């Protein structure tokens, strides 16, 4: 730990003691508190008035049993979570993750990060996150439906269009949101924008599916432009092959780059001709198959077992879009050694602190998740606006707003970094810019 400020050092110790066995949450808090040191120097009132102590403690943690019946008639029991972290600037907002690795610490780190990310969008949304240790992989549609209905039966007591608005994340896409929405509507007998990422016929926003991946590229493009560069002619590696990875590939390619590698949790593909995205979409979005099937129809491409090997593929730009801590120090060093100049995070917290240190020490352009992947939740907030107005905007309208939001986030994060004497450090800039708006709202609202 590198705290100069004793109060922050003590608070970090307290967070660790209060949240034992939750290393991802400790990691997320430590990074933010470190970034806030210069802010605290200028504004001791954030400590004196209890803002910093409050912001690291969720407003509410909901934890529940999710029983459901599988196709063999056997009862299965999973665990569900919703952490309502901070509502200073709007209703809690953030995705639901269904993955076997989910436990309270994962949801807490994601909910904490969401506070600052949502603030950066400039839209009125607080921070929250939820999920379950349910694994949708290998389950039938009817099993997924029964699970979603059981999950929502409990969750419906705690959410609402003006209270808490969940959306997708790992393992939760359009299919799951549809089942969750149907059950909420049935239980509550109301038709509201209680979830985002809905299907277009029932209140979804055009461009929400594309938003996180497109937004990541809009942010990266703004960062490249500010440094006299662009995507044109660049070689790109993208980890993951889910929602974020697929649309990051599409936009990077549209902006003139060549994406040569993608992955899933089993391994990665390398296609020197550029990954055929239509094939990846068919495999992942339609057939729900593994990425290794790509080489069946593309014999010129290579498949390698093990997902971390992807960071050994030579590239100019790396876009980690799979999961937390997928780039460790050794992978970061490989990227640097192979000439990578830009890393922009589509996933949440995909780089370990050691990896970020390697990128910064070697002068790479580094776009942190909170800023770079905020396009998904920003477009969710645009879906909420459309639902409230009972109107829907065209794809082009939403996409144009998303583009402006991402360019603004880049400039706000860059300006905050410069103002606090850390020019070019977008990690600090994003944390500070995201924090200030929430902190000032908390100050104004008193001790609540
Ligand atoms: P998806 O479920 O659509 O895809 C996830 C992808 O990441 C899959 O290719 C999956 O492989 C891979 N993956 C998941 N867990 C692991 C793991 N433990 N190790 C290796 N690979 C893994 O999720 P999304 O694309 O929606 O989410 C990807 C990341 O982006 C997450 O960090 C999420 O929090 C973040 N994010 C998502 C947003 C959104 O709008 N969806 C918005 C902002 C951030 P496999 O199929 O083998 O599991
Ligand atoms: O991490 C994220 O920002 C998301 N999974 C999207 C959340 C949302 O509410 O759209």
């Amino acid at each position: 730990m590198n705290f100069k400020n004793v109060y922050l050092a003590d608070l970090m110790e307290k967070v660790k003691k209060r949240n034992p066995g939750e290393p991802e949450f400790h990691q997320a808090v430590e990074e933010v508190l470190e970034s806030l040191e210069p802010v605290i120097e200028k504004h001791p009132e954030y400590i004196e008035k209890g803002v910093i102590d409050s912001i690291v403690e969720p407003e509410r943690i909901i934890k529940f049993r999710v029983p459901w019946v599988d196709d063999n008639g056997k009862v299965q029991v999973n665990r569900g979570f919703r952490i309502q972290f901070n509502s200073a600037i709007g209703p809690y907002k953030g995705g639901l993750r269904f993955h076997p690795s989910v436990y309270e610490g994962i949801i807490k780190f994601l909910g904490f990060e969401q506070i600052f990310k949502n603030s950066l969008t400039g839209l009125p949304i607080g921070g929250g996150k939820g999920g379950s240790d349910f694994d949708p992989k290998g389950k039938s549609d009817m099993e997924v439906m029964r699970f979603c209905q059981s999950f929502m039966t409990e969750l419906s007591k705690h959410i609402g269009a003006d209270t808490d608005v969940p959306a997708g994340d790992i393992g939760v896409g359009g299919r799951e949101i549809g089942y969750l929405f149907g059950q909420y509507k049935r239980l509550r007998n109301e038709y509201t924008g209680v979830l985002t990422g809905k299907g277009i016929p029932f209140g979804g926003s055009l461009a929400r599916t594309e938003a996180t991946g497109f937004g990541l590229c809009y942010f990266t493009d703004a960062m490249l432009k500010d440094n006299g560069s662009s995507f044109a002619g660049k070689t790109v590696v993208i980890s993951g092959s889910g929602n974020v990875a697929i649309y990051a590939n599409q936009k990077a390619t549209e902006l003139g780059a060549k994406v040569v590698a993608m992955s899933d949790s089993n391994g990665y593909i390398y296609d020197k001709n550029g990954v055929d995205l239509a094939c990846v979409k068919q495999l992942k979005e339609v057939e729900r198959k593994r990425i290794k099937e790509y080489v069946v129809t593309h014999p010129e491409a290579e498949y390698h077992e093990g997902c971390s090997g992807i960071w050994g593929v030579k590239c100019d730009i790396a876009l980690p879009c799979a999961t937390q801590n997928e780039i460790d120090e050794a992978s970061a060093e490989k990227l640097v050694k192979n000439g990578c100049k830009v890393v922009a995070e589509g996933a949440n917290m995909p780089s370990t602190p050691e990896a970020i240190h390697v990128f910064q020490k070697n002068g790479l352009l580094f776009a942190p998740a909170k800023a770079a992947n905020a396009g998904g939740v920003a477009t969710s907030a645009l879906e909420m606006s459309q639902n409230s107005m009972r109107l829907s905007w065209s794809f082009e309208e939403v996409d144009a707003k998303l583009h402006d939001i991402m360019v603004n986030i880049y400039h706000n994060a860059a300006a905050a970094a410069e103002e606090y004497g850390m020019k070019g450090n977008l990690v600090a800039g994003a944390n500070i810019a995201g924090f200030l708006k929430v902190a000032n709202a908390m100050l104004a609202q008193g001790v609540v």
Side-chain angles (χ1 to χ4, degrees):
M1 224 190 303
N2 301 311
F3 288 106
K4 289 181 229 71
N5 183 299
V6 179
Y7 192 92
L8 292 179
D10 288 349
L11 180 60
M12 191 62 232
E13 280 313 306
K14 193 162 141 192
V15 167
K16 286 184 177 168
K17 280 216 186 82
R18 251 194 195 162
N19 302 277
E22 298 180 356
E24 298 85 0
F25 180 53
H26 305 166
Q27 183 182 334
V29 172
E30 191 155 339
E31 184 202 280
V32 170
L33 293 186
E34 278 179 12
S35 296
L36 292 181
E37 284 205 309
V39 179
I40 299 305
E41 292 286 306
K42 264 198 196 169
H43 298 283
E45 67 272 20
Y46 294 132
I47 284 181
E48 289 155 15
K49 302 259 171 74
V51 168
I52 309 276
D53 282 68
S54 293
I55 212 164
V56 298
E57 186 66 18
E59 289 178 20
R60 193 172 295 104
I61 297 181
I62 301 145
K63 198 167 161 183
F64 49 98
R65 179 169 72 190
V66 190
W68 57 281
V69 180
D70 70 17
D71 286 346
N72 298 317
K74 185 173 182 312
V75 175
Q76 301 284 346
V77 178
N78 286 97
R79 197 169 260 190
F81 303 91
R82 185 74 185 167
I83 300 194
Q84 300 179 329
F85 223 117
N86 193 296
S87 61
I89 63 168
Y92 310 105
K93 179 85 197 86
L96 298 170
R97 177 177 292 191
F98 292 170
H99 192 272
S101 62
V102 164
Y103 76 107
E104 202 167 312
I106 292 278
I107 302 299
K108 228 181 255 176
F109 113 68
L110 290 164
F112 181 71
E113 298 252 298
Q114 202 82 44
I115 305 170
F116 308 98
K117 181 197 304 194
N118 293 3
S119 165
L120 285 168
T121 68
L123 299 166
I125 39 178
K129 200 85 187 190
S132 174
D133 57 3
F134 174 75
D135 186 0
K137 250 185 243 142
K139 303 288 191 301
S140 69
D141 279 357
M142 288 301 101
E143 287 178 323
V144 170
M145 182 183 80
R146 288 193 293 275
F147 173 81
C148 288
Q149 290 177 340
S150 179
F151 184 85
M152 183 52 86
T153 300
E154 180 59 34
L155 188 68
S156 65
K157 299 167 191 165
H158 310 284
I159 61 175
D162 294 317
T163 307
D164 183 356
V165 182
D169 193 81
I170 291 177
V172 178
R175 174 182 61 170
E176 290 74 17
I177 294 292
Y179 294 147
L180 291 163
F181 181 76
Q183 181 73 350
Y184 183 87
K185 179 168 65 70
R186 184 179 184 201
L187 289 167
R188 300 286 282 258
N189 194 24
E190 62 179 42
Y191 207 109
T192 56
V194 66
L195 291 156
T196 58
K198 299 183 291 298
I200 304 305
F202 53 99
S205 174
L206 289 163
R208 174 62 188 90
T209 304
E210 294 82 357
T212 311
F214 278 22
L216 171 67
C217 292
Y218 295 149
F219 185 97
T220 307
D221 189 47
M223 178 172 77
L224 286 164
K225 281 205 180 105
D226 206 20
N227 288 276
S229 184
S230 77
F231 268 108
K234 300 292 190 303
T235 299
V236 177
V237 161
I238 302 181
S239 64
S241 48
N243 173 264
V244 180
I246 285 175
Y247 294 96
N249 180 327
Q250 184 170 322
K251 187 53 71 180
T253 306
E254 279 171 26
L255 293 171
K258 180 159 88 169
V259 179
V260 295
M262 292 183 82
S263 62
D264 63 19
S265 55
N266 293 107
Y268 71 94
I269 52 160
Y270 171 71
D271 189 336
K272 62 176 185 324
N273 303 320
V275 170
D276 171 4
L277 189 60
C279 173
V280 174
K281 277 188 183 173
Q282 175 68 21
L283 283 174
K284 288 294 180 179
E285 293 185 337
V286 182
E287 298 172 19
R288 297 181 189 275
K289 286 192 177 151
R290 310 309 301 160
I291 196 86
K292 73 168 170 219
E293 301 288 328
Y294 181 89
V295 294
V296 174
T297 49
H298 294 75
E300 71 290 358
E302 300 166 17
Y303 173 73
H304 299 271
E305 274 298 320
C307 48
S308 69
I310 197 169
W311 308 120
V313 175
K314 190 172 162 47
C315 64
D316 303 305
I317 300 174
L319 304 177
C321 294
T323 195
Q324 65 277 350
N325 292 329
E326 56 173 313
I327 305 185
D328 61 9
E329 186 172 20
S331 296
E333 271 161 1
K334 265 193 245 166
L335 281 166
V336 171
K337 191 169 140 271
N338 284 332
C340 177
K341 295 278 182 288
V342 178
V343 177
E345 298 184 324
N348 284 306
M349 208 168 76
S351 314
T352 64
E354 297 77 23
I356 296 175
H357 182 69
V358 169
F359 297 143
Q360 291 178 332
K361 194 178 67 188
N362 287 282
L364 273 71
L365 295 179
F366 178 71
K370 289 188 189 77
N373 76 24
V377 76
T379 307
S380 279
L382 300 177
E383 182 171 329
M384 290 165 70
S385 303
Q386 293 168 78
N387 292 163
S388 298
M389 294 190 296
R390 302 192 191 284
L391 285 174
S392 51
W393 298 328
S394 68
F395 187 97
E396 291 69 26
E397 227 172 325
V398 179
D399 189 37
K401 288 185 202 297
L402 167 66
H403 180 270
D404 289 353
I405 289 168
M406 298 314 295
V407 172
N408 276 335
I409 296 176
Y410 170 72
H411 289 293
N412 290 342
E418 192 164 359
E419 184 185 340
Y420 284 91
M422 291 174 283
K423 191 171 181 331
N425 182 345
L426 294 175
V427 174
N431 286 335
I432 293 170
F435 168 80
L436 286 173
K437 180 176 171 191
V438 177
N440 291 332
M442 289 171 77
L443 274 184
Q445 290 171 26
V447 181
V448 288

